Amino acid sequence: NNAGYGLTGALEELTDEEVKENFNVNVFGSINVIRAAMPILRSQGNGHVFNIASVGGFTGNFPGWGVYCATKFAVHAFTESLSAEIKEFGLHATVVSPGYFRTEFLTSGSMGTPKNPMDVYTKVREVQKLHVIYNNQPGDPEKAAEVLIKVAAMENPPLHLFLGEDAYQMADVKIAALRNDLEAMRGIADTTSFSVNMSNN
């Protein structure tokens, strides 16, 4: 389930139209495929849905990629729910989070940019320039396909599948940052429940 295209641009400079179209393709495109396929998968009692997200759906710390990452975060979320929903039918779902693979993803035909860019966002422009790396990405799509085939044959396949060393590195950074934030606020932010007075008075 691989509908998607990239969209770069600061949140302030992207229009509603640009944002909604990215969600229409990257989120609703995949959900529409799931709706169409699920009756068939349920009736046959076996099957595996692979929703292609991105490591940008796990960590959004990229200037200018906020909307694209938001769409891929959504893919993570609905795949987790889908997995829980379809277990009773003997079906599996996996959200796939690739790093940079040598596909046509970073070509002009697969990348959107703001119609009205703002010069003040210098960091966003720098990141856009860094992503002109077509045909230099480290990931091999054929090897990625081989991994998906192996996962599809597993009796207990993973819900989350990261592909590529770069994806693992970025995921590790996010997990460490999340753990640091959790521990830094433990003892303050986890005391927000209503107090229960257990006395008989």
Side-chain angles (χ1 to χ4, degrees):
N1 204 358
N2 193 36
Y5 71 93
L7 177 65
T8 59
L11 295 179
E12 182 184 1
E13 61 187 355
L14 289 168
T15 64
D16 281 355
E17 179 184 8
E18 290 168 326
V19 172
K20 288 176 181 178
E21 182 59 20
N22 204 221
F23 271 85
N24 280 337
V25 174
N26 295 6
V27 178
F28 290 103
S30 292
I31 291 175
N32 288 339
V33 170
I34 290 168
R35 289 191 185 116
M38 201 50 58
I40 299 169
L41 297 178
R42 282 191 293 101
S43 67
Q44 67 188 23
N46 64 76
H48 195 142
V49 177
F50 288 91
N51 291 324
I52 309 300
S54 166
V55 69
F58 184 72
T59 175
N61 191 22
F62 307 104
W65 288 86
V67 169
Y68 173 78
C69 288
T71 67
K72 294 304 185 177
F73 266 73
V75 176
H76 272 253
F78 70 64
T79 304
E80 290 184 3
S81 291
L82 178 67
S83 175
E85 292 167 0
I86 64 178
K87 279 183 180 179
E88 65 177 304
F89 307 116
L91 307 176
H92 300 288
T94 296
V95 57
V96 183
S97 299
Y100 291 104
F101 275 79
R102 203 165 296 180
T103 67
E104 295 184 2
F105 175 70
L106 294 176
T107 61
S108 59
S110 188
M111 286 293 299
T113 55
K115 295 177 183 176
N116 303 301
M118 300 169 63
D119 292 339
V120 295
Y121 283 103
T122 56
K123 191 65 177 177
V124 171
R125 301 290 87 80
E126 290 173 7
V127 171
Q128 286 176 327
K129 290 178 182 178
L130 287 174
H131 281 82
V132 184
I133 57 173
Y134 180 57
N135 275 336
N136 290 309
Q137 303 96 317
D140 183 339
E142 292 187 4
K143 292 181 179 178
E146 292 172 2
V147 173
L148 295 185
I149 292 169
K150 290 178 181 178
V151 172
M154 292 179 178
E155 184 176 350
N156 296 301
L159 171 55
H160 303 94
L161 175 62
F162 290 85
L163 290 178
E165 292 182 14
D166 54 346
Y168 268 81
Q169 291 168 358
M170 287 183 271
D172 284 338
V173 171
K174 168 66 180 282
I175 292 169
L178 180 58
R179 174 57 62 186
N180 287 340
D181 285 347
L182 283 168
E183 294 304 322
M185 297 306 297
R186 191 181 297 275
I188 300 175
D190 62 354
T191 60
T192 53
S193 299
F194 286 104
S195 298
V196 179
N197 188 349
M198 300 300 292
S199 68
N200 294 322
N201 298 332

